[in-house]
PDB file of all heavy atoms in Angstrom:
ATOM      1  N   LYS A   1     -57.014  19.196 235.543  1.00 80.00           N
ATOM      2  CA  LYS A   1     -55.836  18.354 235.344  1.00 80.00           C
ATOM      3  C   LYS A   1     -55.976  17.715 233.945  1.00 80.00           C
ATOM      4  O   LYS A   1     -54.979  17.620 233.229  1.00 80.00           O
ATOM      5  CB  LYS A   1     -55.939  17.227 236.500  1.00 80.00           C
ATOM      6  CG  LYS A   1     -54.672  16.327 236.404  1.00 80.00           C
ATOM      7  CD  LYS A   1     -54.791  15.396 237.520  1.00 80.00           C
ATOM      8  CE  LYS A   1     -53.500  14.380 237.424  1.00 80.00           C
ATOM      9  NZ  LYS A   1     -53.519  13.424 238.609  1.00 80.00           N
ATOM     10  N   GLU A   2     -57.197  17.202 233.593  1.00 83.00           N
ATOM     11  CA  GLU A   2     -57.307  16.607 232.256  1.00 83.00           C
ATOM     12  C   GLU A   2     -57.023  17.610 231.109  1.00 83.00           C
ATOM     13  O   GLU A   2     -56.313  17.221 230.114  1.00 83.00           O
ATOM     14  CB  GLU A   2     -58.664  16.050 232.029  1.00 83.00           C
ATOM     15  CG  GLU A   2     -59.020  14.837 232.995  1.00 83.00           C
ATOM     16  CD  GLU A   2     -60.391  14.388 232.849  1.00 83.00           C
ATOM     17  OE1 GLU A   2     -61.157  15.064 232.101  1.00 83.00           O
ATOM     18  OE2 GLU A   2     -60.747  13.272 233.436  1.00 83.00           O
ATOM     19  N   GLU A   3     -57.534  18.760 231.436  1.00 82.00           N
ATOM     20  CA  GLU A   3     -57.202  19.834 230.452  1.00 82.00           C
ATOM     21  C   GLU A   3     -55.795  20.172 230.319  1.00 82.00           C
ATOM     22  O   GLU A   3     -55.190  20.336 229.232  1.00 82.00           O
ATOM     23  CB  GLU A   3     -57.976  21.147 230.717  1.00 82.00           C
ATOM     24  CG  GLU A   3     -58.003  22.201 229.716  1.00 82.00           C
ATOM     25  CD  GLU A   3     -58.611  21.931 228.446  1.00 82.00           C
ATOM     26  OE1 GLU A   3     -59.534  21.038 228.498  1.00 82.00           O
ATOM     27  OE2 GLU A   3     -58.293  22.611 227.469  1.00 82.00           O
ATOM     28  N   ASN A   4     -55.063  20.231 231.476  1.00 79.00           N
ATOM     29  CA  ASN A   4     -53.633  20.527 231.401  1.00 79.00           C
ATOM     30  C   ASN A   4     -52.847  19.297 230.809  1.00 79.00           C
ATOM     31  O   ASN A   4     -51.912  19.578 230.152  1.00 79.00           O
ATOM     32  CB  ASN A   4     -53.200  20.723 232.968  1.00 79.00           C
ATOM     33  CG  ASN A   4     -53.673  22.000 233.537  1.00 79.00           C
ATOM     34  OD1 ASN A   4     -53.977  22.908 232.834  1.00 79.00           O
ATOM     35  ND2 ASN A   4     -53.854  22.070 234.758  1.00 79.00           N
ATOM     36  N   SER A   5     -53.342  18.109 231.087  1.00 81.00           N
ATOM     37  CA  SER A   5     -52.685  16.945 230.512  1.00 81.00           C
ATOM     38  C   SER A   5     -52.836  17.015 228.929  1.00 81.00           C
ATOM     39  O   SER A   5     -51.853  16.736 228.240  1.00 81.00           O
ATOM     40  CB  SER A   5     -53.321  15.670 230.986  1.00 81.00           C
ATOM     41  OG  SER A   5     -52.661  14.543 230.318  1.00 81.00           O
ATOM     42  N   LYS A   6     -54.029  17.396 228.486  1.00 84.00           N
ATOM     43  CA  LYS A   6     -54.245  17.429 227.070  1.00 84.00           C
ATOM     44  C   LYS A   6     -53.318  18.681 226.443  1.00 84.00           C
ATOM     45  O   LYS A   6     -52.646  18.403 225.364  1.00 84.00           O
ATOM     46  CB  LYS A   6     -55.652  17.979 226.774  1.00 84.00           C
ATOM     47  CG  LYS A   6     -56.097  17.991 225.369  1.00 84.00           C
ATOM     48  CD  LYS A   6     -57.513  18.304 225.173  1.00 84.00           C
ATOM     49  CE  LYS A   6     -57.871  18.403 223.689  1.00 84.00           C
ATOM     50  NZ  LYS A   6     -59.351  18.728 223.560  1.00 84.00           N
ATOM     51  N   LYS A   7     -53.272  19.726 227.151  1.00 81.00           N
ATOM     52  CA  LYS A   7     -52.389  20.814 226.727  1.00 81.00           C
ATOM     53  C   LYS A   7     -50.893  20.472 226.738  1.00 81.00           C
ATOM     54  O   LYS A   7     -50.171  20.907 225.901  1.00 81.00           O
ATOM     55  CB  LYS A   7     -52.649  22.056 227.461  1.00 81.00           C
ATOM     56  CG  LYS A   7     -54.121  22.673 227.297  1.00 81.00           C
ATOM     57  CD  LYS A   7     -54.259  23.946 228.143  1.00 81.00           C
ATOM     58  CE  LYS A   7     -55.618  24.469 227.925  1.00 81.00           C
ATOM     59  NZ  LYS A   7     -55.908  25.740 228.641  1.00 81.00           N
ATOM     60  N   GLU A   8     -50.573  19.561 227.688  1.00 81.00           N
ATOM     61  CA  GLU A   8     -49.121  19.237 227.873  1.00 81.00           C
ATOM     62  C   GLU A   8     -48.831  18.307 226.632  1.00 81.00           C
ATOM     63  O   GLU A   8     -47.776  18.346 226.049  1.00 81.00           O
ATOM     64  CB  GLU A   8     -48.855  18.534 229.143  1.00 81.00           C
ATOM     65  CG  GLU A   8     -48.802  19.432 230.277  1.00 81.00           C
ATOM     66  CD  GLU A   8     -48.587  18.647 231.620  1.00 81.00           C
ATOM     67  OE1 GLU A   8     -48.705  17.386 231.543  1.00 81.00           O
ATOM     68  OE2 GLU A   8     -48.388  19.308 232.662  1.00 81.00           O
ATOM     69  N   SER A   9     -49.858  17.435 226.311  1.00 83.00           N
ATOM     70  CA  SER A   9     -49.695  16.539 225.138  1.00 83.00           C
ATOM     71  C   SER A   9     -49.453  17.405 223.806  1.00 83.00           C
ATOM     72  O   SER A   9     -48.593  17.041 222.960  1.00 83.00           O
ATOM     73  CB  SER A   9     -50.880  15.576 224.992  1.00 83.00           C
ATOM     74  OG  SER A   9     -50.983  14.789 226.083  1.00 83.00           O
ATOM     75  N   GLU A  10     -50.285  18.447 223.680  1.00 82.00           N
ATOM     76  CA  GLU A  10     -50.154  19.311 222.519  1.00 82.00           C
ATOM     77  C   GLU A  10     -48.835  20.040 222.593  1.00 82.00           C
ATOM     78  O   GLU A  10     -48.128  20.211 221.591  1.00 82.00           O
ATOM     79  CB  GLU A  10     -51.347  20.271 222.533  1.00 82.00           C
ATOM     80  CG  GLU A  10     -52.747  19.677 222.277  1.00 82.00           C
ATOM     81  CD  GLU A  10     -53.820  20.716 222.404  1.00 82.00           C
ATOM     82  OE1 GLU A  10     -53.389  21.889 222.683  1.00 82.00           O
ATOM     83  OE2 GLU A  10     -55.020  20.457 222.192  1.00 82.00           O
ATOM     84  N   LEU A  11     -48.397  20.414 223.754  1.00 81.00           N
ATOM     85  CA  LEU A  11     -47.122  21.063 223.897  1.00 81.00           C
ATOM     86  C   LEU A  11     -45.980  20.198 223.489  1.00 81.00           C
ATOM     87  O   LEU A  11     -45.009  20.575 222.765  1.00 81.00           O
ATOM     88  CB  LEU A  11     -46.903  21.580 225.315  1.00 81.00           C
ATOM     89  CG  LEU A  11     -45.642  22.274 225.650  1.00 81.00           C
ATOM     90  CD1 LEU A  11     -45.490  23.647 224.703  1.00 81.00           C
ATOM     91  CD2 LEU A  11     -45.555  22.667 227.100  1.00 81.00           C
ATOM     92  N   LEU A  12     -46.085  18.868 223.862  1.00 84.00           N
ATOM     93  CA  LEU A  12     -45.066  17.829 223.493  1.00 84.00           C
ATOM     94  C   LEU A  12     -45.068  17.603 222.073  1.00 84.00           C
ATOM     95  O   LEU A  12     -43.943  17.534 221.416  1.00 84.00           O
ATOM     96  CB  LEU A  12     -45.408  16.543 224.370  1.00 84.00           C
ATOM     97  CG  LEU A  12     -44.355  15.393 224.044  1.00 84.00           C
ATOM     98  CD1 LEU A  12     -42.959  15.753 224.406  1.00 84.00           C
ATOM     99  CD2 LEU A  12     -44.788  14.146 224.698  1.00 84.00           C
ATOM    100  N   ARG A  13     -46.226  17.534 221.449  1.00 85.00           N
ATOM    101  CA  ARG A  13     -46.331  17.362 220.015  1.00 85.00           C
ATOM    102  C   ARG A  13     -45.639  18.615 219.158  1.00 85.00           C
ATOM    103  O   ARG A  13     -44.993  18.414 218.268  1.00 85.00           O
ATOM    104  CB  ARG A  13     -47.705  17.202 219.622  1.00 85.00           C
ATOM    105  CG  ARG A  13     -47.800  16.840 218.050  1.00 85.00           C
ATOM    106  CD  ARG A  13     -49.288  16.416 217.703  1.00 85.00           C
ATOM    107  NE  ARG A  13     -50.264  17.451 217.921  1.00 85.00           N
ATOM    108  CZ  ARG A  13     -51.162  17.524 218.876  1.00 85.00           C
ATOM    109  NH1 ARG A  13     -51.134  16.555 219.734  1.00 85.00           N
ATOM    110  NH2 ARG A  13     -51.949  18.567 219.011  1.00 85.00           N
ATOM    111  N   ALA A  14     -46.031  19.723 219.812  1.00 82.00           N
ATOM    112  CA  ALA A  14     -45.449  20.981 219.205  1.00 82.00           C
ATOM    113  C   ALA A  14     -43.924  21.043 219.314  1.00 82.00           C
ATOM    114  O   ALA A  14     -43.265  21.361 218.436  1.00 82.00           O
ATOM    115  CB  ALA A  14     -46.041  22.181 219.811  1.00 82.00           C
ATOM    116  N   ARG A  15     -43.392  20.540 220.494  1.00 82.00           N
ATOM    117  CA  ARG A  15     -41.991  20.465 220.690  1.00 82.00           C
ATOM    118  C   ARG A  15     -41.342  19.447 219.739  1.00 82.00           C
ATOM    119  O   ARG A  15     -40.293  19.806 219.135  1.00 82.00           O
ATOM    120  CB  ARG A  15     -41.693  20.080 222.046  1.00 82.00           C
ATOM    121  CG  ARG A  15     -41.911  21.118 223.110  1.00 82.00           C
ATOM    122  CD  ARG A  15     -41.463  20.646 224.449  1.00 82.00           C
ATOM    123  NE  ARG A  15     -41.777  21.756 225.556  1.00 82.00           N
ATOM    124  CZ  ARG A  15     -41.655  21.467 226.795  1.00 82.00           C
ATOM    125  NH1 ARG A  15     -41.380  20.264 227.288  1.00 82.00           N
ATOM    126  NH2 ARG A  15     -41.861  22.578 227.726  1.00 82.00           N
ATOM    127  N   ARG A  16     -41.969  18.345 219.452  1.00 86.00           N
ATOM    128  CA  ARG A  16     -41.466  17.333 218.566  1.00 86.00           C
ATOM    129  C   ARG A  16     -41.462  17.917 217.069  1.00 86.00           C
ATOM    130  O   ARG A  16     -40.579  17.800 216.362  1.00 86.00           O
ATOM    131  CB  ARG A  16     -42.228  16.148 218.606  1.00 86.00           C
ATOM    132  CG  ARG A  16     -42.172  15.289 219.879  1.00 86.00           C
ATOM    133  CD  ARG A  16     -43.031  14.129 219.827  1.00 86.00           C
ATOM    134  NE  ARG A  16     -42.929  13.313 221.066  1.00 86.00           N
ATOM    135  CZ  ARG A  16     -43.703  12.292 221.449  1.00 86.00           C
ATOM    136  NH1 ARG A  16     -44.636  11.918 220.670  1.00 86.00           N
ATOM    137  NH2 ARG A  16     -43.419  11.723 222.628  1.00 86.00           N
ATOM    138  N   GLU A  17     -42.647  18.622 216.828  1.00 85.00           N
ATOM    139  CA  GLU A  17     -42.647  19.281 215.508  1.00 85.00           C
ATOM    140  C   GLU A  17     -41.493  20.324 215.347  1.00 85.00           C
ATOM    141  O   GLU A  17     -40.926  20.430 214.230  1.00 85.00           O
ATOM    142  CB  GLU A  17     -43.987  19.865 215.182  1.00 85.00           C
ATOM    143  CG  GLU A  17     -45.113  18.869 215.027  1.00 85.00           C
ATOM    144  CD  GLU A  17     -46.558  19.529 215.058  1.00 85.00           C
ATOM    145  OE1 GLU A  17     -46.500  20.704 215.088  1.00 85.00           O
ATOM    146  OE2 GLU A  17     -47.487  18.809 214.796  1.00 85.00           O
ATOM    147  N   LEU A  18     -41.280  21.141 216.363  1.00 84.00           N
ATOM    148  CA  LEU A  18     -40.261  22.128 216.234  1.00 84.00           C
ATOM    149  C   LEU A  18     -38.909  21.588 216.203  1.00 84.00           C
ATOM    150  O   LEU A  18     -38.160  22.010 215.357  1.00 84.00           O
ATOM    151  CB  LEU A  18     -40.367  22.989 217.569  1.00 84.00           C
ATOM    152  CG  LEU A  18     -39.388  24.146 217.674  1.00 84.00           C
ATOM    153  CD1 LEU A  18     -39.535  25.135 216.493  1.00 84.00           C
ATOM    154  CD2 LEU A  18     -39.532  24.965 218.983  1.00 84.00           C
ATOM    155  N   GLU A  19     -38.644  20.398 216.883  1.00 85.00           N
ATOM    156  CA  GLU A  19     -37.360  19.755 216.728  1.00 85.00           C
ATOM    157  C   GLU A  19     -37.178  19.176 215.339  1.00 85.00           C
ATOM    158  O   GLU A  19     -36.100  19.222 214.767  1.00 85.00           O
ATOM    159  CB  GLU A  19     -37.366  18.587 217.768  1.00 85.00           C
ATOM    160  CG  GLU A  19     -36.002  17.857 217.852  1.00 85.00           C
ATOM    161  CD  GLU A  19     -34.894  18.752 218.322  1.00 85.00           C
ATOM    162  OE1 GLU A  19     -35.200  19.756 218.967  1.00 85.00           O
ATOM    163  OE2 GLU A  19     -33.714  18.481 217.984  1.00 85.00           O
ATOM    164  N   ALA A  20     -38.290  18.650 214.756  1.00 86.00           N
ATOM    165  CA  ALA A  20     -38.212  18.136 213.502  1.00 86.00           C
ATOM    166  C   ALA A  20     -37.883  19.221 212.401  1.00 86.00           C
ATOM    167  O   ALA A  20     -37.090  19.133 211.528  1.00 86.00           O
ATOM    168  CB  ALA A  20     -39.433  17.405 213.036  1.00 86.00           C
ATOM    169  N   LEU A  21     -38.512  20.389 212.688  1.00 84.00           N
ATOM    170  CA  LEU A  21     -38.300  21.538 211.705  1.00 84.00           C
ATOM    171  C   LEU A  21     -36.845  22.036 211.885  1.00 84.00           C
ATOM    172  O   LEU A  21     -36.242  22.467 210.977  1.00 84.00           O
ATOM    173  CB  LEU A  21     -39.273  22.665 212.071  1.00 84.00           C
ATOM    174  CG  LEU A  21     -40.734  22.278 211.700  1.00 84.00           C
ATOM    175  CD1 LEU A  21     -41.631  23.371 212.203  1.00 84.00           C
ATOM    176  CD2 LEU A  21     -40.893  22.119 210.173  1.00 84.00           C
ATOM    177  N   ARG A  22     -36.420  22.023 213.137  1.00 83.00           N
ATOM    178  CA  ARG A  22     -35.017  22.479 213.431  1.00 83.00           C
ATOM    179  C   ARG A  22     -33.974  21.593 212.694  1.00 83.00           C
ATOM    180  O   ARG A  22     -33.081  22.071 211.981  1.00 83.00           O
ATOM    181  CB  ARG A  22     -34.738  22.550 214.948  1.00 83.00           C
ATOM    182  CG  ARG A  22     -35.413  23.701 215.550  1.00 83.00           C
ATOM    183  CD  ARG A  22     -35.124  23.619 217.155  1.00 83.00           C
ATOM    184  NE  ARG A  22     -35.684  24.845 217.757  1.00 83.00           N
ATOM    185  CZ  ARG A  22     -35.703  25.050 219.093  1.00 83.00           C
ATOM    186  NH1 ARG A  22     -35.157  23.966 219.856  1.00 83.00           N
ATOM    187  NH2 ARG A  22     -36.246  26.005 219.643  1.00 83.00           N
ATOM    188  N   LYS A  23     -34.292  20.279 212.814  1.00 85.00           N
ATOM    189  CA  LYS A  23     -33.373  19.339 212.174  1.00 85.00           C
ATOM    190  C   LYS A  23     -33.369  19.579 210.644  1.00 85.00           C
ATOM    191  O   LYS A  23     -32.384  19.491 209.965  1.00 85.00           O
ATOM    192  CB  LYS A  23     -33.678  17.911 212.453  1.00 85.00           C
ATOM    193  CG  LYS A  23     -33.508  17.533 213.806  1.00 85.00           C
ATOM    194  CD  LYS A  23     -33.827  16.026 214.043  1.00 85.00           C
ATOM    195  CE  LYS A  23     -33.562  15.605 215.605  1.00 85.00           C
ATOM    196  NZ  LYS A  23     -33.914  14.170 215.908  1.00 85.00           N
ATOM    197  N   GLN A  24     -34.543  19.691 210.018  1.00 83.00           N
ATOM    198  CA  GLN A  24     -34.685  19.993 208.563  1.00 83.00           C
ATOM    199  C   GLN A  24     -34.036  21.312 208.331  1.00 83.00           C
ATOM    200  O   GLN A  24     -33.401  21.330 207.129  1.00 83.00           O
ATOM    201  CB  GLN A  24     -36.178  19.970 208.187  1.00 83.00           C
ATOM    202  CG  GLN A  24     -36.425  20.020 206.732  1.00 83.00           C
ATOM    203  CD  GLN A  24     -38.012  19.826 206.299  1.00 83.00           C
ATOM    204  OE1 GLN A  24     -38.699  19.762 207.267  1.00 83.00           O
ATOM    205  NE2 GLN A  24     -38.096  19.729 205.123  1.00 83.00           N
ATOM    206  N   HIS A  25     -34.227  22.289 209.093  1.00 80.00           N
ATOM    207  CA  HIS A  25     -33.541  23.536 208.855  1.00 80.00           C
ATOM    208  C   HIS A  25     -32.043  23.331 208.877  1.00 80.00           C
ATOM    209  O   HIS A  25     -31.356  24.006 208.001  1.00 80.00           O
ATOM    210  CB  HIS A  25     -33.962  24.551 209.976  1.00 80.00           C
ATOM    211  CG  HIS A  25     -33.418  25.891 209.750  1.00 80.00           C
ATOM    212  ND1 HIS A  25     -32.294  26.324 210.331  1.00 80.00           N
ATOM    213  CD2 HIS A  25     -33.812  26.946 209.039  1.00 80.00           C
ATOM    214  CE1 HIS A  25     -31.929  27.615 210.084  1.00 80.00           C
ATOM    215  NE2 HIS A  25     -32.848  27.878 209.197  1.00 80.00           N
ATOM    216  N   GLN A  26     -31.486  22.650 209.848  1.00 81.00           N
ATOM    217  CA  GLN A  26     -29.995  22.401 209.807  1.00 81.00           C
ATOM    218  C   GLN A  26     -29.592  21.635 208.530  1.00 81.00           C
ATOM    219  O   GLN A  26     -28.544  22.014 207.944  1.00 81.00           O
ATOM    220  CB  GLN A  26     -29.720  21.624 211.089  1.00 81.00           C
ATOM    221  CG  GLN A  26     -29.922  22.348 212.327  1.00 81.00           C
ATOM    222  CD  GLN A  26     -29.582  21.476 213.641  1.00 81.00           C
ATOM    223  OE1 GLN A  26     -29.406  20.218 213.414  1.00 81.00           O
ATOM    224  NE2 GLN A  26     -29.670  21.943 214.739  1.00 81.00           N
ATOM    225  N   LYS A  27     -30.383  20.761 208.206  1.00 82.00           N
ATOM    226  CA  LYS A  27     -30.083  20.028 206.950  1.00 82.00           C
ATOM    227  C   LYS A  27     -30.042  20.898 205.615  1.00 82.00           C
ATOM    228  O   LYS A  27     -29.087  20.838 204.839  1.00 82.00           O
ATOM    229  CB  LYS A  27     -31.030  18.804 206.727  1.00 82.00           C
ATOM    230  CG  LYS A  27     -30.758  17.921 205.568  1.00 82.00           C
ATOM    231  CD  LYS A  27     -31.804  16.788 205.550  1.00 82.00           C
ATOM    232  CE  LYS A  27     -31.533  15.822 204.310  1.00 82.00           C
ATOM    233  NZ  LYS A  27     -32.431  14.782 204.253  1.00 82.00           N
ATOM    234  N   LEU A  28     -31.057  21.763 205.659  1.00 77.00           N
ATOM    235  CA  LEU A  28     -31.099  22.664 204.510  1.00 77.00           C
ATOM    236  C   LEU A  28     -30.029  23.669 204.543  1.00 77.00           C
ATOM    237  O   LEU A  28     -29.419  24.182 203.516  1.00 77.00           O
ATOM    238  CB  LEU A  28     -32.497  23.345 204.498  1.00 77.00           C
ATOM    239  CG  LEU A  28     -33.637  22.501 204.092  1.00 77.00           C
ATOM    240  CD1 LEU A  28     -34.980  23.257 204.243  1.00 77.00           C
ATOM    241  CD2 LEU A  28     -33.558  21.875 202.726  1.00 77.00           C
ATOM    242  N   SER A  29     -29.634  24.114 205.846  1.00 75.00           N
ATOM    243  CA  SER A  29     -28.615  25.016 205.939  1.00 75.00           C
ATOM    244  C   SER A  29     -27.296  24.445 205.462  1.00 75.00           C
ATOM    245  O   SER A  29     -26.401  25.150 204.891  1.00 75.00           O
ATOM    246  CB  SER A  29     -28.438  25.414 207.432  1.00 75.00           C
ATOM    247  OG  SER A  29     -29.538  26.059 207.864  1.00 75.00           O
ATOM    248  N   LYS A  30     -27.060  23.125 205.770  1.00 77.00           N
ATOM    249  CA  LYS A  30     -25.829  22.582 205.371  1.00 77.00           C
ATOM    250  C   LYS A  30     -25.828  22.524 203.753  1.00 77.00           C
ATOM    251  O   LYS A  30     -24.763  22.692 203.167  1.00 77.00           O
ATOM    252  CB  LYS A  30     -25.627  21.070 205.913  1.00 77.00           C
ATOM    253  CG  LYS A  30     -25.467  21.031 207.432  1.00 77.00           C
ATOM    254  CD  LYS A  30     -25.330  19.579 207.894  1.00 77.00           C
ATOM    255  CE  LYS A  30     -25.206  19.529 209.402  1.00 77.00           C
ATOM    256  NZ  LYS A  30     -25.074  18.173 209.916  1.00 77.00           N
ATOM    257  N   LYS A  31     -26.924  22.153 203.223  1.00 74.00           N
ATOM    258  CA  LYS A  31     -27.016  22.102 201.726  1.00 74.00           C
ATOM    259  C   LYS A  31     -26.773  23.556 201.214  1.00 74.00           C
ATOM    260  O   LYS A  31     -26.176  23.711 200.143  1.00 74.00           O
ATOM    261  CB  LYS A  31     -28.413  21.689 201.286  1.00 74.00           C
ATOM    262  CG  LYS A  31     -28.544  20.135 201.536  1.00 74.00           C
ATOM    263  CD  LYS A  31     -29.834  19.610 200.951  1.00 74.00           C
ATOM    264  CE  LYS A  31     -29.955  18.207 201.212  1.00 74.00           C
ATOM    265  NZ  LYS A  31     -31.242  17.544 200.539  1.00 74.00           N
ATOM    266  N   LEU A  32     -27.346  24.540 201.809  1.00 70.00           N
ATOM    267  CA  LEU A  32     -27.144  25.846 201.386  1.00 70.00           C
ATOM    268  C   LEU A  32     -25.761  26.268 201.459  1.00 70.00           C
ATOM    269  O   LEU A  32     -25.173  26.944 200.579  1.00 70.00           O
ATOM    270  CB  LEU A  32     -28.063  26.782 202.151  1.00 70.00           C
ATOM    271  CG  LEU A  32     -28.000  28.341 201.806  1.00 70.00           C
ATOM    272  CD1 LEU A  32     -28.466  28.507 200.368  1.00 70.00           C
ATOM    273  CD2 LEU A  32     -28.848  29.081 202.823  1.00 70.00           C
ATOM    274  N   LEU A  33     -25.022  25.861 202.613  1.00 72.00           N
ATOM    275  CA  LEU A  33     -23.554  26.146 202.641  1.00 72.00           C
ATOM    276  C   LEU A  33     -22.744  25.487 201.585  1.00 72.00           C
ATOM    277  O   LEU A  33     -21.848  25.957 201.032  1.00 72.00           O
ATOM    278  CB  LEU A  33     -23.054  25.691 204.022  1.00 72.00           C
ATOM    279  CG  LEU A  33     -21.657  25.939 204.324  1.00 72.00           C
ATOM    280  CD1 LEU A  33     -21.273  27.484 204.350  1.00 72.00           C
ATOM    281  CD2 LEU A  33     -21.327  25.405 205.664  1.00 72.00           C
ATOM    282  N   LYS A  34     -23.218  24.237 201.157  1.00 73.00           N
ATOM    283  CA  LYS A  34     -22.596  23.499 200.131  1.00 73.00           C
ATOM    284  C   LYS A  34     -22.666  24.267 198.809  1.00 73.00           C
ATOM    285  O   LYS A  34     -21.752  24.219 197.979  1.00 73.00           O
ATOM    286  CB  LYS A  34     -23.227  22.168 199.986  1.00 73.00           C
ATOM    287  CG  LYS A  34     -22.578  21.196 198.945  1.00 73.00           C
ATOM    288  CD  LYS A  34     -23.324  19.913 198.914  1.00 73.00           C
ATOM    289  CE  LYS A  34     -22.728  19.003 197.821  1.00 73.00           C
ATOM    290  NZ  LYS A  34     -23.394  17.708 197.795  1.00 73.00           N
ATOM    291  N   TYR A  35     -23.845  24.928 198.543  1.00 66.00           N
ATOM    292  CA  TYR A  35     -24.072  25.536 197.229  1.00 66.00           C
ATOM    293  C   TYR A  35     -23.882  27.061 197.453  1.00 66.00           C
ATOM    294  O   TYR A  35     -24.225  27.836 196.520  1.00 66.00           O
ATOM    295  CB  TYR A  35     -25.495  25.399 196.826  1.00 66.00           C
ATOM    296  CG  TYR A  35     -25.916  23.948 196.464  1.00 66.00           C
ATOM    297  CD1 TYR A  35     -26.617  23.025 197.227  1.00 66.00           C
ATOM    298  CD2 TYR A  35     -25.280  23.346 195.332  1.00 66.00           C
ATOM    299  CE1 TYR A  35     -26.921  21.775 196.927  1.00 66.00           C
ATOM    300  CE2 TYR A  35     -25.559  22.096 194.963  1.00 66.00           C
ATOM    301  CZ  TYR A  35     -26.292  21.236 195.768  1.00 66.00           C
ATOM    302  OH  TYR A  35     -26.563  19.934 195.387  1.00 66.00           O
ATOM    303  N   SER A  36     -23.194  27.513 198.410  1.00 67.00           N
ATOM    304  CA  SER A  36     -22.840  28.946 198.564  1.00 67.00           C
ATOM    305  C   SER A  36     -21.948  29.334 197.467  1.00 67.00           C
ATOM    306  O   SER A  36     -22.020  30.663 197.183  1.00 67.00           O
ATOM    307  CB  SER A  36     -22.302  29.209 199.929  1.00 67.00           C
ATOM    308  OG  SER A  36     -21.011  28.431 200.056  1.00 67.00           O
ATOM    309  N   LEU A  37     -21.175  28.532 196.925  1.00 68.00           N
ATOM    310  CA  LEU A  37     -20.250  28.901 195.815  1.00 68.00           C
ATOM    311  C   LEU A  37     -21.147  29.523 194.690  1.00 68.00           C
ATOM    312  O   LEU A  37     -20.757  30.505 194.076  1.00 68.00           O
ATOM    313  CB  LEU A  37     -19.505  27.814 195.296  1.00 68.00           C
ATOM    314  CG  LEU A  37     -18.548  27.997 194.239  1.00 68.00           C
ATOM    315  CD1 LEU A  37     -17.512  29.037 194.478  1.00 68.00           C
ATOM    316  CD2 LEU A  37     -17.877  26.623 193.811  1.00 68.00           C
ATOM    317  N   PHE A  38     -22.289  28.911 194.359  1.00 68.00           N
ATOM    318  CA  PHE A  38     -23.094  29.294 193.270  1.00 68.00           C
ATOM    319  C   PHE A  38     -23.775  30.683 193.642  1.00 68.00           C
ATOM    320  O   PHE A  38     -24.033  31.544 192.742  1.00 68.00           O
ATOM    321  CB  PHE A  38     -24.215  28.327 192.940  1.00 68.00           C
ATOM    322  CG  PHE A  38     -23.652  26.920 192.536  1.00 68.00           C
ATOM    323  CD1 PHE A  38     -23.478  25.960 193.417  1.00 68.00           C
ATOM    324  CD2 PHE A  38     -23.309  26.842 191.237  1.00 68.00           C
ATOM    325  CE1 PHE A  38     -22.975  24.715 192.928  1.00 68.00           C
ATOM    326  CE2 PHE A  38     -22.818  25.647 190.679  1.00 68.00           C
ATOM    327  CZ  PHE A  38     -22.665  24.627 191.612  1.00 68.00           C
TER     328      PHE A  38
END
């Protein structure tokens, strides 16, 4: 149970990191769309 709790914490942290990366990816995608003219 402790091992699973630890892994769940790591999984939650990985999900947060993935969510932050997705937000940053969306932000960069918007900027890329803005500069698509170039």
Side-chain angles (χ1 to χ4, degrees):
K1 184 178 180 181
E2 292 177 355
E3 185 68 22
N4 291 332
S5 178
K6 183 178 179 181
K7 291 181 179 179
E8 286 178 356
S9 299
E10 293 178 357
L11 181 61
L12 180 60
R13 185 171 65 254
R15 287 179 178 175
R16 290 176 180 174
E17 292 177 356
L18 181 60
E19 185 65 24
L21 290 174
R22 285 178 178 173
K23 290 181 180 180
Q24 190 173 3
H25 181 267
Q26 291 176 358
K27 185 178 180 180
L28 292 176
S29 298
K30 290 180 181 179
K31 289 185 178 181
L32 182 61
L33 182 62
K34 180 181 178 180
Y35 293 108
S36 59
L37 177 64
F38 296 99

